[in-house]
Amino acid sequence: DISAEEQQFNDLIAQDSRIEPRDWMPEAYRKTLIRQIAQHAHSEIIGMQPESNWILRAPSLKRKAILIAKVQDEAGHGLYLYSAAQTLGVGRDEMTEQLIAGTARYSSIFNYATPTWADMGSIGWLVDGAAICNQVPLCRASYGPYGRAMVRICKEESFHQRQGFEILLELMNGTPEQRQMAQESVNRWYWPALMMFGPPDDDSPNSARSMAWKIKRFSNDELRRRFVGMLVPQAEVLGLTLPDPDLTWNEEKQAYDMGQPDWDEFHEVLAGRGQMNAQRMQRRRDAHDEGAWVREAAAAYAARQSATTER
Ligand code: ACO
């Protein structure tokens, strides 16, 4: 026996319709959305750091301008996503506090270092490529504000992916040292990019319910396989090798057989023990402290404005 409002929620999901902020929803649905959207927002914000590392060292003015715009786009994505999470009743301050305190998750991928310029290519091609593959289906997520935020984010991510591909293409058309730098970078980023899709399906506690609620449309492994299928022809065009000796076309399955990422490494990164976890968190805390005066000034201004209009 379920309530009329729960029946209505179930009907909306069954019809592939959308749940909006004022609709009734099960508490667990609200909680899982806050979890996923807040993590996603934090990822965009922390994700600014690995690339901002190269803004002052970009090899040309044109590359610098593109990189600044891209990092700025990531900030914008974080802001849309915080806004989408706020419609579920969680405060922006609360989410920020959790990130600063180190109790919130953000994507494992942003805990890897960016020692070479080629890493800007690999992040665009592999990391933003994986993000698109994961996020295009999220445009159809059952929760309206999340799905709608994803539409614009995916358009911008497509541009980011192409600029990464183009950086690698230019390096691959360059000197032997440049080609080597590109390949070395792809070797480092390939497996961490595959980890972005989350743990294997039989080790993914949230998948079944999120798929039943039509938040997720495909499983982690399914999206990972699709992503690899997309990469193979692009790697051929670039002349790059994907560092998986088990990657082979399976004629019978009409899909690629592939090796597995190092899941121990994944769990280490999630536990806060990755290459750059401590540094990313420290930078985020410092930025928050350095920005305190801006928040205070904005709050004082808003208070004065509302006092003036009340008069
Ligand atoms: N990095 C960090 N944490 C991860 C990752 C990852 N790559 N993959 C899974 N996890 C976490 C999950 O958040 C979950 O932890 P929690 O229960 O404490 O929240 C746990 O591992 C188990 O995973 P799942 O049960 O598979 O979790 P879920 O169903 O949420 O699927 C996924 C994970 C695929 C990442 C999903 O949340 C998602 O699609 N999120 C939106 C996309 C996103 O966040 N992208 C961020 C990187 S892309 C970018 O920002 C450019």
Side-chain angles (χ1 to χ4, degrees):
D1 236 26
I2 60 171
S3 65
E5 49 194 9
E6 186 165 5
Q7 187 57 51
Q8 196 187 5
F9 172 86
N10 290 345
D11 290 346
L12 284 171
I13 298 284
Q15 292 155 10
D16 250 333
S17 199
R18 281 202 144 144
I19 309 299
E20 296 297 338
R22 269 181 278 187
D23 292 338
W24 182 91
M25 62 187 84
E27 263 323 290
Y29 177 83
R30 185 188 300 276
K31 255 180 89 177
T32 208
L33 277 168
I34 291 176
R35 177 184 65 80
Q36 177 165 333
I37 301 172
Q39 286 178 4
H40 195 165
H42 297 324
S43 303
E44 301 281 359
I45 297 300
I46 298 288
M48 295 165 77
Q49 292 187 36
E51 287 173 293
S52 64
N53 181 35
W54 277 91
I55 289 177
L56 296 178
R57 295 179 288 163
S60 70
L61 183 60
K62 186 181 107 180
R63 292 292 182 195
K64 189 189 295 248
I66 294 170
L67 196 57
I68 291 172
K70 180 184 187 283
V71 171
Q72 214 164 287
D73 285 351
E74 308 297 353
H77 298 173
L79 299 187
Y80 304 148
L81 287 164
Y82 283 130
S83 298
Q86 280 175 291
T87 65
L88 291 157
V90 60
R92 169 89 178 271
D93 289 350
E94 195 182 329
M95 288 183 277
T96 304
E97 285 308 318
Q98 289 166 352
L99 179 62
I100 300 286
T103 56
R105 284 198 196 287
Y106 60 87
S107 183
S108 51
I109 193 71
F110 301 117
N111 294 304
Y112 290 85
T114 46
T116 74
W117 170 253
D119 294 337
M120 300 303 99
S122 295
I123 290 184
W125 183 46
L126 296 173
V127 176
D128 297 319
I132 295 168
C133 212
N134 167 261
Q135 290 170 22
V136 164
L138 290 175
C139 295
R140 295 190 293 125
S142 57
Y143 188 59
Y146 190 34
R148 287 189 290 272
M150 280 297 125
V151 174
R152 176 163 177 184
I153 291 177
C154 284
K155 286 186 179 158
E156 293 181 349
E157 293 294 359
S158 307
F159 165 70
H160 296 170
Q161 197 263 357
R162 280 161 193 239
Q163 69 89 39
F165 181 92
E166 207 259 338
I167 288 175
L168 291 175
L169 188 64
E170 188 153 319
L171 291 175
M172 291 306 286
N173 286 330
T175 63
E177 288 80 5
Q178 286 173 318
R179 282 199 289 279
Q180 198 188 348
M181 178 167 71
Q183 182 65 58
E184 185 275 332
S185 172
V186 166
N187 291 350
R188 276 185 290 111
W189 287 92
Y190 180 75
W191 293 109
L194 294 194
M195 295 176 195
M196 290 172 67
F197 296 93
D201 291 349
D202 53 16
D203 192 26
S204 165
N206 301 300
S207 277
R209 201 155 62 164
S210 288
M211 285 175 74
W213 277 328
K214 299 185 180 170
I215 298 169
K216 286 169 91 162
R217 297 282 175 162
F218 300 98
S219 78
N220 298 356
D221 285 332
E222 212 168 324
L223 288 174
R224 195 168 7 252
R225 259 196 307 277
R226 276 189 180 205
F227 176 55
V228 171
M230 263 172 47
L231 287 182
V232 171
Q234 295 181 14
E236 272 166 26
V237 172
L238 288 167
L240 284 161
T241 308
L242 299 176
D244 178 0
D246 297 325
L247 186 62
T248 42
W249 178 250
N250 184 324
E251 189 59 39
E252 203 177 310
K253 285 199 251 166
Q254 288 291 301
Y256 284 94
D257 287 331
M258 53 193 264
Q260 283 292 310
D262 178 349
W263 293 115
D264 290 338
E265 176 183 317
F266 174 75
H267 290 296
E268 280 296 293
V269 176
L270 258 63
R273 293 186 290 267
Q275 220 174 34
M276 299 293 280
N277 293 58
Q279 193 169 324
R280 298 291 183 242
M281 287 305 303
Q282 190 55 50
R283 180 76 200 97
R284 185 67 197 80
R285 286 191 198 107
D286 291 346
H288 189 70
D289 293 345
E290 286 159 16
W293 70 273
V294 179
R295 293 191 298 279
E296 279 159 25
Y301 180 75
R304 206 169 61 198
Q305 285 296 102
S306 66
T308 329
T309 33
E310 270 161 30
R311 234 185 281 133

